[in-house]
Amino acid sequence: MFRNRPPPEEERRVRANDREYNEKFQYASNCITTSKYNIITFLPVNLFEQFQEVANTYFLFLLILQLIPQISSLSWFTTIVPLALVLSITAIKDATDDYFRHKSDNQVNNRQSQVLIRGSIQKEKWMNVRVGDIIKLENNQFVAADLLLLSSSEPHGLCYIETAELDGETNMKVRQSVSVTCELGDPNNLAAFNGEVVCEPPNNKLDRFCGTLYWKDRKYSLTNQNMLLRGCVLRNTEFCYGLVIFAGPDTKLMQNSGRTKFKRTSIDRLMNTLVLWIFCFLVCMGMILAVGNAVWEREVGSLFQSYLPWDPPVDSFIFSAFLSFWSYVIILNTVVPISLYVSVEVIRLGHSYFINWDRQMFCSQCNTAAEARTTTLNEELGQVEYIFSDKTGTLTQNIMTFNKCSINGQTYGEATDPLGPQPKKLDFTPFNSLADPNFCFYDDTLLESVKVGDCCTHEFFRLLSLCHTVMSEEKSEGELVYKAQSPDEGALVTAARNFGFVFRSRTPGTISTTEMGRPVTYALLAILDFNNIRKRMSVIVRNPEGRIRLYCKGADTMLLERLHPSNQDLMNVTSDHLNEYAADGLRTLALAYRDLSEEQWETWSERQRSAERASDCREERLAAVYEEIEQDMMLLGATAIEDKLQEGVPETIAVLSLANIKVWVLTGDKQETAVNIGYSCKMLTDDMAEVFIISGNTVQCVRQELRAARQRMVELSQSREEGKEVFAEACFLTPDLRGGHREVTEEEEKVEQQPPSPVSSVSPASPAPPLNLMDNISGEFGLVINGHSLAHALEADMEAEFVSTACACKAVICCRVTPLQKAQVVELIKKHKRAVTLAVGDGANDISMIKSAHIGVGISGQEGNQAVLASDYSFSQFRFLQRLLLVHGRWSYLRMCRFLCYFFYKNFAFTMVHFWFGFFCGFSAQTVYDQYFITLYNIVYTSLPVLAMGIFDQDVPDDRSLEYPKLYEPGQLNLLFNKKEFFICIAQGIYTSVVLFFVPYAVLSDATQSSGEPLADYQTFAVTTATALVIVVSVQIALDTGYWTIINHVFIWGSLGLYFSIMLALHSQTLFRIFPNQFHFVGTAQSTLLQPVVWLTIALATAICVVPVLTFRFLKLDLRPQLSDTVRYTQLVRLKKRKLAGRSAGERGWRGASTMSEGRLGARSGSRRSGYAFAHQEGFGELITSGKNMRLSSLVLGSFGSKHSSSWIDTLRRKKHPPTPTCTSGDCSPAPSSICASVPPLSNSSSMMGGSQDTPIEEESDTATVQSVAVSLSPETNGAPAAPQGPGHPHSTAPSSAAERSQAGPPAGWTLSLGAVQEALFGWRNTAPCTNSASSGPT
Amino acid sequence: MASGYNAKEEDGHIGVVGLGGASLRGRKPENTAFKQQRLPAWQPILTAGSVLPAFFIIGLIFIPIGIGLYVTSNNIREFEIDYTGVEVSSPCYNCAQNFSWHSTTPCTCSIQFYLHQAYESNVFMYYGLSNFYQNHRRYVKSRDDSQLNGDISSLTKPSKECEPYANHDHKPIAPCGAIANSMFNDTLELFYIDPNGTRVPVALSSTGIAWWTDKHVKFRNPGGSTNLTAAFQGTVKPVNWRHPVYELDTDPENNGFINEDFIVWMRTAALPTFRKLYRVIQKKNNMAPTLPRGNYSLQVQYNFPVRSFEGRKRVILSTISWMGGKNPFLGIAYVTVGSVCFFLGVVLLFIHHKYGNRTNNADITN
């Protein structure tokens, strides 16, 4: 921080092992500093920072003003006491934070690393590592700086790293050293290495590196593939050597760490605006009074000089007015008391603790309580309108379980009858000693079938045990650990293992299994690797008998069309099964095999070798070769893997959407997977009028798609208009609320080009209204957008269009998005919608999104806790979100609003009395009250009751706010505290101040005590007004407090008691005798409070202040009750009834939303297909067959257990609970088994084929130019081969089908480039009829 | 891309924890009513059943009180004469014209008035000033309470607050400050004029007019010695005063700082128009009224100038009740507020019955 930065680097030159040379450039050392202060700088720097806060400076300024005797209208302590309090609390907090930062800096800087110095490996602290050093890393160590990989323990200079800390991807990545350096395995050789690297200057691009290595007069170009970045972890590599290129603050990790943005809530911003207004108001009042002072001094004061001469420096009334202005600024400053900010912080802190303490947000499985990591955002939780959620680990548990399968037309899987007895978990151990004890399966018919020796079943599991890229590890006999690239594969291989087909180990050329207790070794002839276009993978193996067989598993869309025609019947049956599985939200794969003759294999492998050798278009050639052999396969069956949703996700989403919160899923997953999850967590439902898919590859394409989608929405909603009217009348309980909402949306939609207002104003859902009404509403839309389309949609000129389309949809799913895009989407909504956004995620890739959203929520789950560390709130289950928002957020918002309203009210009531008094005291800035009263009013007399209200108040109990999610709406619409409410409070405050001044004025001016002394002396007046004020604001807080806990009672009564006792003490003779000059009010309290007239005055003032408020509130409640009022009232009625009924009536349980969502599920005729759902990367097949990564299976056994890649196994082990999570209401389990039973297996396998053809009818009118653009661009962006297949295949990969149809004749515009997508999303097909009928109406 | 990291996040350990060390993986939160926000609570709702009776009750309480106050106030006798002498016809016109702070010959004037009703109980005699800003900030603070409390050091070295009335001729002023300096110094005497024409002086008691705490706690003579002249040695009288502070009265218990006229003056008024208790006319016996109806003459030694700032001076004679002096406002205000409340109660009852749309069952259609 304090280092002199040399001028920006143009390029970086680093010579290995040459510190002297490198020092010339003054590169940053590897020491990092995130702390802000040290012991000496703490006080000045911290104070400087604190006084950058406008409020603090303002109070300091006031303090200085008060030290000028001519101005000072208050004692200095009235300001300095609160200010000192505030400053020191903040300073202590900052000091603590910085202490922890120091500690963590020290810890990181003092980590040990092994540096090669003068030929020997020496231990060095991280902070002492210099640019140009060669350091040695061992397995599972953190990379200390950005290194150029020189050599590693693995062959070919390979090493594996995990970059979860950097980009959140938990897959292992491979790095490879430059070929010339990978032989330098020996420290001595490395010590002699003196290559020089010339590369780009430090930057924050994680995926790019560009440099050149000069060594022995030769140049080698360096890419990101050669770099190990700080923050990565070395995995599965015994050791490696690297040359430090960037160190410390120059590393890409640190370059990426911008200062955390300080988040402010909208209430904060509003509060700042209001404080500014109040400040202006204060200045205005000061001006008015100063003018008054000038007039008075000229007209009266100058004549009065014989009694009261001007203070020495004052020589004219102008100057006097000037001083008076400042005096009034001082005494009126209490309209914005410093305690406002402190109190707000205290309240938020209290709310944060309530979140931390909430047992209903405690996850007992992982022993994790919810945590409010930021204490400043709580009330914003009550205003959320958009939730951006990650998928994996957030909505889902990231646990794949082998759930169902279909073998040879026979389906196996869980019993679907939830009412029946809970099926027993199968026990595999007697059958198979190698079984994984954590594997759960409930259908014993499958096991029977295996035991009987059904050959199809055996072949099915054999395929699963052979066709994969899993690595196994056997620490001791039988104790197998699988290292799978994706959890899907792991689940499948584990399933095979349990059913007797145990994958034991592999070499580059063989796969060893134990089949039904018999060891078998297959020769692995080829792995036809997975990629996103092929969506399938195959292996070709030769069994011990010498038969060659190809096993293939892949997306059904891919596989089913490559089957041998003889499979037709089986395919139909299996398709039905697939549909069923997909309807349940399972991820499906189809399995097939093909027998190959020796000749076929020979010829094919020849072709494959030549394709592999090809220098150009190798990928395409290989794909074509693979395609050749993967034909005429025999169908074995299909598997269904459950991507387990977290507990309660569909219910939570349903409740949130009832609360008018829009949930967007932003995931890096593939579209099919994302859409599937969208359906299984009820974001997308089949009642949706339409689900739009945007996946264009070009700007025009995307624009066209967006426009078409909006067009459809408008058409559909127009055709529904009439029905909606009826619905609206029947369902809207609070028309005023609705009206307000409509206003807001309309206002917002000015931004939009084509406002689909009727759509957005349609209620997203109403809980279970009569079914006939439900039929009338169909205004719900879903939107699915792909990462590459999103990139275009986020461009400046498309933004508005995208936002308008997406926000009209109830559910939006963005798939294949990068972490950066996640943040961009969030920013987009923040920018265009002025809505409060919440991002929830669990992985490091969600960090950018979490940080840019108004509120970031981290799920402390499987993927480490980077997201948690960046988040504002964290808990371990997505479902806690509903409680966080609907209960805690709602309460926080309500409390904060009530607090602010009251706070501004009480301070205006307090302060404005001075203003009125100004007109009667010659505008001399005389205060009405005793100075001690002024000091203590905000701190002592009125702070605790309002704090208690701000912390404890509840309008409705927590279960009610979950029951009626609509209660959340006032927060979103910002109804409880906005400028209007503020003015109402201010007006009330001013009214009160008028009453408080003029009632005592009128009563006391001529009144006398009962002993004859006049009552209108200044001190009596002060005490009367102050007492009336305290009583009035206490009555007001009593009216505002809706939830009188014992604490509220203690605080309210206590404050009143405290006021009287403190006043009596301050006015006591004892204190006066000690400090006669400080306590002028001696005896006033006693003599005043004994007067009946004073009490009558106070009572009168209180009545005049309170009666209008009471009247307005009663009228509001009686005539236009808000939902919360009604709920509250019914609560009361129920309570009474229950008391009468003698508690016999059991309270109804948690009802509401969940029943609704389940009810709908019944109507769903699921027909989607999930795709090949591997979260897979290609390339591992090659690594296996080349044997490059083979060492790790045999070698690094002890260190192999990398936490992430084995996590699915851990979680499988942990997964003890039954697969159908139990919910409070019993009928809301995510696996809708009852529904499956009720829906007859649809014989829609045939219609499935036509899905993509007849759906996009309405788009066929699109212009030809768009088609041609789409067609010409899609092959090259997808990098797919022009598939050499006949035009008779309706189902083919996206680009090829697009190409086909462009030749075939009238293609359907943008939808055609989507081929596979639509097939995966079979929901289209069944919306198509209604689409057609709807669109035929208006046209 | 990873947009933000800092060192402590690098290896995923929890560095700084959110709230004072509350660890993420912790014990299950305690199941206390407080922590789970389930404290038993009273939840008042503004229902018709509670608000309307409240209005009626307020009305029913306020109206009788108001009537009582009004009646009480009306029974109080009060008489007020302005003797500023602004009008030429006023007897004090001359005195008001020829005013000088330091004239040695006092100007007196007497004002005749007629009391239409007898004043039965004790009668309190006030002087009233108008347009006199005793509540001005600079005026209010221009005093030294330590000095008035008999502190010797403050006597010789008055507080800065007293400027410019702290020192005179390099000698400390006692009592210092603008308040003391501007003390009201008219002397008022009251004569009852017999039906036969003789002037009978009315006995005016000058003690018992100040607050007890003022007289006995707040104000004390320096040194505690009886010889006030010695005690105030080395100080000078306020500029406008004719006599030093130790010559305010002959009674040693009512002299110096504890002179009650002085104490009364020092208790500053809240408003520019105010009255201060001047004398008390004690009721002598139960037979005769304190002030019988008839003619009276008020004799004023006119010392206090108010014409310069357009002030007015009045004398008020008043009896008092349990609630003090005449105060019609309070009674009227109570009756008004009570009636308004009652009326509001009726109106709200009507509105509630006619338009109130509170559903009375426990079910809400969501």
Side-chain angles (χ1 to χ4, degrees), chain A residues 23 60 264 741 852 926:
Chain A
E23 261 161 29
L60 184 72
R264 281 184 178 284
H741 180 55
S852 53
Q926 173 65 11

Side-chain angles (χ1 to χ4, degrees), chain A residues 87-141:
Chain A
L87 291 182
S88 48
I89 289 172
T90 317
I92 289 168
K93 187 169 150 274
D94 289 348
T96 325
D97 286 356
D98 209 51
Y99 170 73
F100 283 111
R101 274 195 290 267
H102 270 290
K103 246 173 85 169
S104 91
D105 282 354
N106 277 342
Q107 197 212 334
V108 171
N109 284 333
N110 288 325
R111 278 193 201 146
Q112 292 294 330
S113 68
Q114 303 177 57
V115 182
L116 190 67
I117 298 174
R118 285 180 292 279
S120 62
I121 303 273
Q122 292 179 10
K123 294 253 176 201
E124 270 284 16
K125 291 175 178 169
W126 274 29
M127 55 194 250
N128 296 331
V129 171
R130 292 289 137 76
V131 171
D133 288 354
I134 291 177
I135 61 176
K136 182 185 177 187
L137 290 172
E138 287 177 357
N139 198 20
N140 293 336
Q141 277 187 341

Side-chain angles (χ1 to χ4, degrees), chain A residues 165 256-257 307 924 1012 1080 1096, chain B residues 2-3 5 126 137 145 305 325 334:
Chain A
E165 305 286 344
N256 262 304
S257 65
Y307 294 117
S924 60
H1080 311 293
L1096 289 171
Chain B
S3 62
Y5 285 93
Y126 302 91
R137 180 169 58 86
D145 276 324
Y334 261 81

